[in-house]
Amino acid sequence: MTFWFLLLLGLFTYFIVQRSVAGITRTPVWILWLVLMTPALIWSVWAAIHGPDHPLPIALAIGPFIICPLLYWLLIQWGRRDSSPSAEQTQNQALESKPATETKPEPSNLRPIEPTEEAQLRNCFPWSVYYIHNIEYRPQAVLCRGQLRTKPAVAYQRIRENIEAQFGDRFLVILQEGLDGKPFFALVPNPQARAAGQSQQKLTRPILALGLVLATLFTTTLVGVEFAGGDLQTITSNPAVLFQGLPYALALMTILGIHESGHYIAARFYKIRATLPYFIPIPFFLGTFGAFIQMRSPVPNRKALFDVSLAGPLAGFVATLPLLIWGLAHSTVVPLPAEPRMLDPNALNPNYSLLVALLSKLALGDQLVANRAIDLHPVAIAGFLGLVVTALNLMPVGQLDGGHIVHAMFGQRTGAAIGQIARFLLLGLSLIQPGFLLWAIILFFMPIADQPALNDVTELDNWRDLCGLMALGLLVLIILPVPTAITQLLQI
């Protein structure tokens, strides 16, 4: 009964958010939806763990009602769009265009160029590079269709230079495949041209980023005290109890911070305007909703899309691995409960994840045998959450890092098809591992396609394709239950 209530509530909440704020903020709808659903999820998890006879603590009963609406408002404000058409909106309009054989040019009062400029535009397309057939005018976009006569990267570079020489910085030049499989160019108004005077200091907001770091350090420390078995009620008489929560807080923030810093550094390498990493503090649950950055300029090509998307999970996993192994080595082996729960930090069943089982056996050795669970050290809890964050981000769906990765590897349409398959595979896995059901539901609420790169046609090199397959393999290692043959081999 609780599950169906949550499902209906989640559907209703998602459609309300989608209709009310999706057009005014760049913040992903699924994040806003998750924030609004947090109170119901926390109360449901509490009831599932402690039973309906145990009343909620005051902090859990009232805190989410105060924190979540405020966080929801802040996320909307941080991602608020300008009143002028954004790059994302205009790219979406280009995406929705039909092949030239199925539509006629549409006159519009919002034509981005004047009729007298069409001859100048045609001159930007040399016949030996891209033989242009026709030009279609859409609201806030110009679609140029024709025949590609050289490599996509060469054509894009040459035509972009010609358009910049002729029209300055008025347009973003997009190259992507149409529904007929043929590459076409789209010219959309450049929102950065009007924002050229904006200072880098306003984009990065270091004081805000530092304040959120300190606030999140405090909230994760409070949660860490509970994970360490301390008593928060004694803080006023014994402030030193906070030191018990620092191992968890520092480990978790290191993992999340390095993950987002990987995105940030890669974005800066490709000269993509991006904000500093912002942490999201909450004084309950895990102490934080994670961290995020926002990219404020388009991704130049699929290579950049791949590198920026992979940099975060890769950096976060590299930071997670030593912390998790150290934490597991300092954890305690306990008897497996009669009814084990998937994410119980006091009795974690390592067989729920192939990678966790391998690392647990490596760290604990002969202590870990069959029918045993692990009472996790606070650092191990942070490391385990690092794996969860890595796996969730590597899901090949929509605007998650994994969705960007498969888009960069296979193209936008094939990447969207892979995302649809991944949704159903995770839903099937939730029949074996009920703990994945919430993940599966969240993925079905996410848009299946992400935004195209400016040059969305040029393919990746073989090395990046191999790295992408390895990243998807890491996802499988994290979420795949341990096969029986391996449990017998590891004697767990």
Side-chain angles (χ1 to χ4, degrees), residues 24-48:
I24 64 173
T25 182
R26 296 184 182 89
T27 305
V29 171
W30 71 270
I31 293 181
L32 298 173
W33 170 81
L34 187 59
V35 169
L36 287 184
M37 286 294 295
T38 294
L41 294 174
I42 290 176
W43 300 332
S44 299
V45 170
W46 175 272

Side-chain angles (χ1 to χ4, degrees), residues 124 153-168 173 185:
C124 294
V154 175
Y156 179 80
Q157 182 68 21
R158 176 78 178 277
I159 291 172
R160 190 189 68 179
E161 290 174 354
N162 291 346
I163 290 175
E164 288 177 351
Q166 188 67 49
F167 297 99
V173 182
F185 283 86

Side-chain angles (χ1 to χ4, degrees), residues 259-401:
H259 177 114
E260 295 303 328
S261 296
H263 287 312
Y264 178 76
I265 293 171
R268 292 297 299 269
F269 177 81
Y270 284 103
K271 297 181 174 59
I272 300 171
R273 299 178 74 243
T275 66
L276 289 170
Y278 293 132
F279 283 84
I280 307 176
I282 54 172
F284 49 85
F285 195 39
L286 303 176
T288 178
F289 264 141
F292 68 96
I293 68 168
Q294 288 184 325
M295 292 190 291
R296 298 292 178 84
S297 59
V299 179
N301 48 54
R302 280 161 60 174
K303 174 184 172 183
L305 178 66
F306 180 88
D307 290 352
V308 172
S309 302
L310 183 62
L314 179 61
F317 179 70
V318 170
T320 295
L321 208 55
L323 290 171
L324 179 58
I325 293 174
W326 186 93
L328 288 170
H330 290 77
S331 299
T332 306
V333 176
V334 296
L336 187 68
E339 296 182 0
R341 297 188 300 271
M342 183 178 178
L343 302 179
D344 185 356
N346 301 121
L348 178 72
N349 185 352
N351 291 337
Y352 277 121
S353 165
L354 179 55
L355 183 59
V356 170
L358 293 173
L359 295 178
S360 299
K361 191 64 176 180
L362 174 66
L364 295 169
D366 294 337
Q367 299 179 57
L368 186 62
V369 295
N371 297 319
R372 289 293 184 271
I374 307 172
D375 185 0
L376 294 176
H377 185 278
V379 172
I381 296 176
F384 181 78
L385 292 175
L387 285 187
V388 172
V389 169
T390 300
L392 181 59
N393 278 279
L394 285 177
M395 289 289 175
V397 177
Q399 297 183 9
L400 295 175
D401 294 332

